[in-house]
Amino acid sequence: MTTTDTNVEATGRVAIVTGGSRGIGRAVSRRLAADGLAVVVNYADDTASAKETVSAITAAGGRAIAVQADVADEAAVTALFDRAEATFGGVDVAVNSAGRLALSPIAELDLSVLDALHRTNIRGTFVVAQQAARRLRTGGSFVGFSTSVVGTQFPGYGAYVASKGAIEATTLVLARELRGRDITVNTVAPGPTATELFLDDKTEEQIEALAKTPPLERLGTPDDIASVVAFLTSPEGHWVNGQILRANGGMV
């Protein structure tokens, strides 16, 4: 099913943000809401964080609901888009920030960890992208998430960059497949960003070293990444299509 733009003026623009309850996803949800979009905050299992994100948005005068769904489950993601359409009238923006990280040397990697990582990062991206391709209204945008480690190639990140490299490889393919629909497809690849996921299990020395790696000599913030997503999904960013944007302060 393809949804047209007939209801955009009546309902305003609407965004689904997967993994929208914490970290970068929360910052994206709040930024898009501040820019006037109604936001469907998707989460996997942290109901409390999702409610906190929605409360922060509504307290600031925005519109938001929280909807639980496993991004790798096609029935759940279909229901997620159904809920967005039923509540707000349609979907204009889909941001797939849900992801999983696992670090291990390739020789020591538990393959069950690899399977779980790829289920969320690769299959999840495909499932969300499928619904976005079928249901985004004219003038809409899909944004996926990769990582700048695809370029830096740090040891221990083999499984993670393999999953994110797959997302990068499909970005332009999907953009071309949506020819004639006026829908953009881009992927944001953050560098070191100060989220709980990034800071967990790192020493102060490791964090300081990573912060000094970019020429701007600091870690990114979730708001830095949210600003990039806001641009890509705005009318001002609509000429950017099929691209990988490395939002990393100048890393390779």
Side-chain angles (χ1 to χ4, degrees), residues 6-21:
T6 54
N7 292 323
V8 175
E9 290 186 5
T11 64
R13 300 179 73 223
V14 179
I16 292 174
V17 182
T18 72
S21 64

Side-chain angles (χ1 to χ4, degrees), residues 192 206-214 216-219:
Q206 289 172 321
I207 294 170
E208 183 178 352
L210 286 166
K212 290 181 178 178
T213 301
L216 296 182
E217 294 189 327
R218 67 171 176 85
L219 295 178

